[in-house]
Amino acid sequence: MKTAYRNIYSVLKINRFIVLTVVLLALLSSGFSGLIVYKIYQKSLNSSFAISTDGSVIPLKWISQKENFQVEALAHLELFHTYFYNIDASNYEKNLEKALWLGNSSVDNLYRQKKADGVYNRLIQYSLVQKVLSTESEIDLENEPYQFTTTTIFEINRGTITDTYELVSTGNLIIVDRNYPNNTHGLLITNYFENSLKKLNNEN
């Protein structure tokens, strides 16, 4: 025989089952949503987006930060050595000004020393053309400041005579704010030093 108390007990039991079911479904839904958001976030770390001229979103893949830094560091060193050593009477002032933006006082001190030694006066006086043929750099990317060694091959044209030289230079790279267009890679050469300079045998 059913009583009012038994009916109430049954209703409460059903209500508790419904509440537990709703709570469990809510937890599962929240967990699933969180997992989806996390996966989207992880995916977005490897992508960036740009807006095209028609307003559409264009996904851009990022390359790894270390690979990107190595490419920029090598480009920075090549740019500096080209500006600093690829000079003649008509462009040396402009090139050296650009080179000085890529290094700190150690580069400026070397420039002043060369100027005091009459290097640039001889460049003008004898119409010398100093041309960089190649630059090869090795960089230690483990710790900042990043140590580098660069081998620069350049030639000096003295009119009828052309001599080829090998310069080995060392220094450190530190990260600074990018400066457009003076320092687009956001790197600065410090402790720059010309270690050795030797004349190469020309093959004629």
Side-chain angles (χ1 to χ4, degrees), residues 84-99:
F84 201 74
Y85 298 103
N86 198 93
I87 54 177
D88 57 40
S90 64
N91 71 6
Y92 81 95
E93 290 183 330
K94 179 180 63 178
N95 280 9
L96 290 173
E97 181 182 356
K98 292 179 179 179

Side-chain angles (χ1 to χ4, degrees), residues 31-96:
F32 180 74
S33 299
L35 181 62
I36 295 298
V37 170
Y38 178 76
K39 287 184 176 180
I40 293 174
Y41 171 74
Q42 289 294 324
K43 186 176 180 181
S44 69
L45 290 179
N46 296 321
S47 303
S48 61
F49 300 89
I51 306 298
S52 66
T53 54
D54 60 358
S56 60
V57 178
I58 306 172
L60 302 173
K61 284 290 184 182
W62 285 354
I63 61 176
S64 73
Q65 184 177 4
K66 192 170 184 179
E67 289 178 350
N68 184 59
F69 176 77
Q70 183 177 16
V71 171
E72 291 211 64
L74 291 173
H76 185 85
L77 291 173
E78 181 179 3
L79 192 63
F80 166 75
H81 286 84
T82 300
Y83 281 147
F84 201 74
Y85 298 103
N86 198 93
I87 54 177
D88 57 40
S90 64
N91 71 6
Y92 81 95
E93 290 183 330
K94 179 180 63 178
N95 280 9
L96 290 173

Side-chain angles (χ1 to χ4, degrees), residues 157-172:
N157 188 313
R158 295 181 172 86
T160 58
I161 301 175
T162 300
D163 295 320
T164 305
Y165 296 87
E166 179 187 83
L167 171 69
V168 178
S169 56
T170 57
N172 298 327

Side-chain angles (χ1 to χ4, degrees), residues 24-36:
L24 182 61
L25 290 175
L27 290 174
L28 290 174
S29 177
S30 299
F32 180 74
S33 299
L35 181 62
I36 295 298

